Amino acid sequence: MAPRPRPFDIVHVSSAHPWTDNRVHLRAAGSAATAGYRTALIAVAAAGDAPDPDWDSPDPDTGVYVRRIPARRRSRRVLVSSVQAVCAALSSRAPIVHLHDPELLWAVPVLRCLHRTVVYDAHEDLPDQVRGKEYLGPVARRASTMAAHAALAVARGSSTVIAATPTIARRFPADRTVLVRNVPQLRAADTEAHAVTDRDRVVVYIGSMSRDRGIDVLAGVASSPALPDGWRMLTAGPIDGAVDRRAFDELVRTGRIDHRGVVRPRAARDLLVTARIGLLPLFPTPAYAASIPTKLFEYLAAGLAVVATDVPLWRELLAGTDCATWVPPGDPEAIVAAIRRYDDDPELLRNHAEAGRALVLERFRWDREEQVLLDLYRSLSGAAPVPEAVAR
């Protein structure tokens, strides 16, 4: 058993995200460990994983010491998991505590009083999330909006806030906020993949599925009689328990949709390089309309053409590069028409795929964002990391 290197330099904490999460583990914590910081992670056990009573050895791929806490339903997660995660963070003795969930914000003043440097990673715009919840009545919406703004006020008490988008960054003090976008890590497997026109005729969607994320749109595409012969749909990711998924499940049963369930992030990226077209059918809710969708850039990095909901911010992100087909929200037949166009014009498919990959290589790659994160850690710790401290 490897020695437990307490105190750690940095501990990443999440009571909501699985320990395999792209941004939390593979990017943020993994980058810190690779740079030489003794890095711990507290996050949720994935399906089939046993919780860890302590940090025993580093992850062989990232060098991060991972402590997995049990997955719980939301109410118990907020009341039990958040306390468990914060107590574990204190036991790590790390001077820098990097929080990744709004439900952990109650701990900011506690950690500051205990002389910890607190970094809050704002992945989502909380008020915009509330505005996008159509099922909330007037009273519940007003209460939720007040709670979201109260959470932001507490978050502003952090030593530093990391914002995933410029929109989120504007909600926090400019002198204590840095922008670290959630863009892909480049992989050799992406650049070595077959040319897009040599792959199977597959359209792919990777990620969580819900009404707002377009599960009904995906079902409409897969069931359309206008879908060109030989094309099939591949999906992977969890499905929101609140949605009516009967139509989707029937398409899975009949083979119109090949649903792989919940897969690890690296396995999801491996699926992308087998497809030709990536689908982004999210509805333009206030939260999504102001977001930078990670899957958009993962599709482009994997050499896919993209069919996406026409959202002004997303158009702006890709401005000057012709690599996507934009469709109205909630319109499966428009997506099918885009697929037919790519099927009829392989040169267009190839040009969009190559242009998208070139854009990611030039502007949307994690190694550029990583440097901002590492500069922040260096300024907070007052010293550069010691590379020899990394356990492999």
Side-chain angles (χ1 to χ4, degrees):
M1 181 179 294
R4 300 166 188 166
R6 296 190 211 191
F8 289 98
D9 297 318
I10 302 165
V11 59
H12 289 258
V13 190
S14 175
S15 54
H17 291 83
W19 73 275
T20 56
D21 184 85
N22 265 318
R23 181 175 176 94
V24 177
H25 183 182
L26 301 184
R27 293 175 189 146
S31 292
T34 300
Y37 292 103
R38 292 168 297 178
T39 306
L41 168 65
I42 301 150
V44 178
D49 291 330
D52 303 300
D54 209 335
W55 295 277
D56 290 329
S57 58
D59 181 84
D61 294 323
T62 64
V64 176
Y65 285 76
V66 181
R67 184 168 175 178
R68 302 163 187 85
I69 62 175
R72 297 182 173 98
R73 293 183 180 275
R74 180 171 176 77
S75 58
R76 282 184 54 79
R77 194 181 77 204
V78 172
L79 296 173
V80 178
S81 296
S82 67
V83 174
Q84 181 183 12
V86 170
C87 289
L90 289 171
S91 78
S92 75
R93 296 164 53 200
I96 298 175
V97 181
H98 190 146
L99 304 177
H100 288 271
D101 307 323
E103 63 197 46
L104 298 173
L105 285 172
W106 63 267
V108 171
V110 176
L111 293 167
R112 295 298 300 273
C113 286
L114 294 173
H115 308 291
R116 299 301 198 275
T117 298
V118 181
V119 177
Y120 174 57
D121 205 312
H123 301 198
E124 298 97 11
D125 189 311
L126 296 180
D128 274 351
Q129 277 194 321
V130 171
R131 285 199 296 273
K133 296 183 184 299
E134 298 176 355
Y135 56 84
L136 292 177
V139 175
R141 184 181 299 277
R142 190 157 46 247
S144 297
T145 300
M146 291 174 61
H149 284 286
L152 290 178
V154 175
R156 293 184 188 108
S158 303
S159 309
T160 300
V161 173
I162 294 175
T165 71
T167 301
I168 296 173
R170 286 194 287 271
R171 294 198 179 272
F172 298 98
D175 61 339
R176 289 186 292 110
T177 303
V178 297
L179 176 65
V180 178
R181 298 174 301 176
N182 201 13
V183 293
Q185 292 171 306
L186 301 182
R187 312 186 314 159
D190 295 334
T191 56
E192 295 168 359
H194 292 300
V196 68
T197 50
D198 294 334
R199 304 178 192 178
D200 291 340
R201 287 178 167 83
V202 172
V203 294
V204 63
Y205 174 89
I206 301 290
S208 299
M209 282 174 271
S210 64
R211 180 190 173 279
D212 288 347
R213 289 175 176 267
I215 187 170
D216 295 330
V217 178
L218 294 174
V221 172
S223 61
S224 173
L227 189 68
D229 291 341
W231 284 81
R232 58 188 178 90
M233 180 179 291
L234 172 65
T235 63
I239 299 176
D240 187 342
V243 304
D244 181 351
R245 52 183 289 178
R246 287 174 294 180
F248 183 90
D249 288 343
E250 177 62 18
L251 290 165
V252 173
R253 189 188 67 79
T254 58
R256 301 294 296 271
I257 295 176
D258 178 5
H259 182 57
R260 302 295 180 88
V262 178
V263 298
R264 298 285 175 92
R266 287 192 175 90
R269 292 284 295 274
D270 290 340
L271 290 177
L272 294 183
V273 297
T274 68
R276 293 191 179 192
I277 300 170
L279 301 183
L280 192 62
L282 279 64
F283 283 75
T285 63
Y288 294 149
S291 71
I292 299 177
T294 307
K295 63 174 60 64
L296 170 61
F297 299 107
E298 290 179 342
Y299 291 162
L300 299 178
L304 302 176
V306 172
V307 180
T309 302
D310 195 352
V311 173
L313 174 61
W314 302 352
R315 272 189 180 265
E316 183 181 333
L317 290 170
L318 305 186
T321 302
D322 189 13
C323 60
T325 298
W326 305 102
V327 296
D331 190 342
E333 291 308 319
I335 295 176
V336 171
I339 295 170
R340 293 192 69 87
R341 185 180 176 214
Y342 284 127
D343 188 54
D344 292 338
D345 191 347
E347 185 174 357
L348 176 68
L349 175 70
R350 181 169 51 251
N351 289 342
H352 277 197
E354 291 176 354
R357 181 180 287 170
L359 178 67
V360 169
L361 291 173
E362 180 184 352
R363 291 168 47 194
F364 297 105
R365 46 192 295 173
W366 174 251
D367 53 359
R368 307 275 174 82
E369 307 300 310
E370 174 186 65
Q371 196 54 53
V372 177
L373 180 67
L374 296 179
D375 288 345
L376 171 64
Y377 288 151
R378 189 175 296 110
S379 68
L380 294 176
S381 64
V386 181
E388 289 77 15
V390 180
R392 290 296 193 201

